[in-house]
Amino acid sequence: MTSTKHTSLTTTKYTGHIEDSSILQTFIRTDLSNQRIPVTHLFIAHYHAYPCTVVIQASTSLGKLHVPTIRRYIENDHKHNSTEDIIKREYHPIIRSFYITDFLANLGNGIMIDCENCQLINDIDNPNKYKSDGFDDYFLIVEKVRINYLPEHDIYVNDELASKLSSFYVLQSKLTTIQVVCKSSQQDFITIHHQILKQLNKIEWKGIILLYGLPGTGKTYYMRYLINELQEKNVIFFPSDIIHNLSSSEFLQILKIYSHSIIFIDDAENINKDHPDQALNNLFNLNHLSHQPIVATFNTYSLQTFSQH
């Protein structure tokens, strides 16, 4: 019997290509259900070494990194072919187009650059005079970019590359973050925002705040903004990929330890994946058991569903 040799249908230069069959088998056995780009796995697959990392932000406190400028820089200065990148996109209902949410670029020399949770925003200050990104004055920005690299690049990455990438930024006003969350007028939601802050700053308040909206409308981004506004409060943030365990006894023990914290839950319908229609009831039960204020986002519930509770 002759063995069959399996041939990859993609170019070996593609960042997602895995040459080593043993590493490929490890990937197959790994839980990648959270759908994030497995950056560390891919770095090991390409370079057979665990990466050093540095996380960069804009070089000014009010800045957000401008994603297209970062990608153009590595294309021009590093002769990088961006068609070989791993890219994730989502549909934005306002601009009615797809935009990059995550990407991983392998520069081929022991350096990988990745970012996740990119956002489209408008109404920004633009000190570097960038052109808008083709979406009616929207700019594609990200909070942080991570550089993964082999140790021989440590001096270059920290002294030069990180500094260069952090200089590619736009300035986002506070109103922009608030504005994208609600379809009502901007001024209306600013009022709502201050009401939310007032409730969360009350010592004895133990209620629930629900944020509903279609994917891509800014709920997670607003939640992070809200956390930043609550600097004198302890918060616990549960991302969407782990909250299905939130009702377990182990998580309840964690909540008891941090009993004076505010609980933030992203994509709360994932609390009960088997019965998403029961997720809201699970949320109320969690609030009852923990006696802690909860802020939660929902993607799939209608406003009518909320009105029934």
Side-chain angles (χ1 to χ4, degrees):
M1 180 181 295
T2 58
S3 61
T4 302
K5 184 178 181 180
H6 297 281
T7 303
S8 173
L9 298 178
T10 185
T11 172
T12 57
K13 293 183 179 180
Y14 173 53
T15 302
H17 178 78
I18 302 171
E19 187 73 31
D20 191 321
S21 60
S22 63
I23 296 177
L24 182 60
Q25 290 299 318
T26 301
F27 259 92
I28 294 173
R29 293 191 298 269
T30 302
D31 180 13
L32 301 175
S33 59
N34 62 16
Q35 298 300 306
R36 292 180 178 174
I37 299 174
V39 178
T40 302
H41 292 72
L42 289 167
F43 190 97
I44 294 172
H46 282 273
Y47 297 110
H48 301 278
Y50 196 88
C52 304
T53 61
V54 60
V55 177
I56 62 169
Q57 295 177 278
S59 56
T60 177
S61 60
L62 297 177
K64 305 296 178 185
L65 295 170
H66 187 228
V67 175
T69 301
I70 289 175
R71 300 193 75 210
R72 282 193 294 269
Y73 170 76
I74 62 177
E75 287 172 354
N76 296 332
D77 284 55
H78 288 264
K79 309 303 179 186
H80 173 67
N81 184 356
S82 61
T83 63
E84 298 167 356
D85 296 349
I86 296 177
I87 294 176
K88 295 180 62 178
R89 290 182 171 89
E90 287 185 6
Y91 184 78
H92 196 292
I94 297 176
I95 65 172
R96 298 181 179 180
S97 182
F98 288 91
Y99 68 99
I100 294 175
T101 59
D102 307 67
F103 80 88
L104 173 63
N106 179 18
L107 303 191
N109 57 352
I111 298 175
M112 286 186 172
I113 296 175
D114 78 276
C115 69
E116 59 182 26
N117 299 322
C118 302
Q119 298 276 339
L120 279 172
I121 64 170
N122 58 6
D123 188 24
I124 57 98
D125 293 322
N126 188 10
N128 291 318
K129 307 299 181 184
Y130 300 133
K131 292 183 179 180
S132 63
D133 299 323
F135 302 111
D136 298 325
D137 294 325
Y138 276 81
F139 289 77
L140 185 63
I141 59 95
V142 72
E143 189 82 25
K144 300 175 182 178
V145 169
R146 183 171 58 177
I147 306 173
N148 312 267
Y149 60 96
L150 295 174
E152 56 260 38
H153 298 301
D154 191 69
I155 294 177
Y156 166 69
V157 167
N158 288 280
D159 291 353
E160 185 174 339
L161 183 59
S163 176
K164 189 68 175 179
L165 297 185
S166 68
S167 69
F168 302 137
Y169 63 84
V170 295
L171 299 175
Q172 180 184 14
S173 69
K174 286 189 174 183
L175 295 182
T176 302
T177 306
I178 300 174
Q179 183 180 359
V180 297
V181 182
C182 189
K183 289 185 177 180
S184 62
S185 71
Q186 176 180 329
Q187 192 60 46
D188 284 346
F189 194 73
I190 293 174
T191 302
I192 294 171
H193 168 68
H194 288 301
Q195 290 173 348
I196 291 173
L197 279 179
K198 183 178 180 180
Q199 289 298 107
L200 293 177
N201 278 307
K202 290 180 179 179
I203 297 176
E204 299 301 324
W205 190 77
K206 308 296 182 184
I208 301 177
I209 295 172
L210 302 177
L211 301 172
Y212 164 79
L214 295 173
T217 51
K219 300 181 302 299
T220 302
Y221 208 68
Y222 171 69
M223 183 180 285
R224 291 174 179 170
Y225 172 81
L226 188 59
I227 290 172
N228 188 62
E229 291 285 282
L230 296 166
Q231 294 184 359
E232 296 183 0
K233 292 283 187 176
N234 294 322
V235 302
I236 305 174
F237 177 75
F238 292 103
S240 60
D241 55 335
I242 67 169
I243 62 171
H244 60 281
N245 294 318
L246 203 56
S247 58
S248 67
S249 58
E250 292 83 359
F251 270 93
L252 291 176
Q253 290 300 318
I254 293 174
L255 295 180
K256 286 183 179 179
I257 296 173
Y258 301 99
S259 58
H260 297 290
S261 300
I262 301 172
I263 302 171
F264 284 80
I265 303 175
D266 197 21
D267 295 345
E269 61 267 23
N270 291 329
I271 291 177
N272 194 334
K273 286 187 175 182
D274 294 331
H275 301 284
D277 56 316
Q278 295 297 315
L280 199 55
N281 288 330
N282 294 137
L283 198 63
F284 283 116
N285 289 336
L286 177 64
N287 178 250
H288 175 73
L289 292 171
S290 66
H291 303 289
Q292 292 169 260
I294 296 175
V295 180
T297 69
F298 280 84
N299 291 312
T300 58
Y301 281 81
S302 67
L303 294 175
Q304 287 77 11
T305 303
F306 288 148
S307 66
Q308 294 172 6
H309 290 78

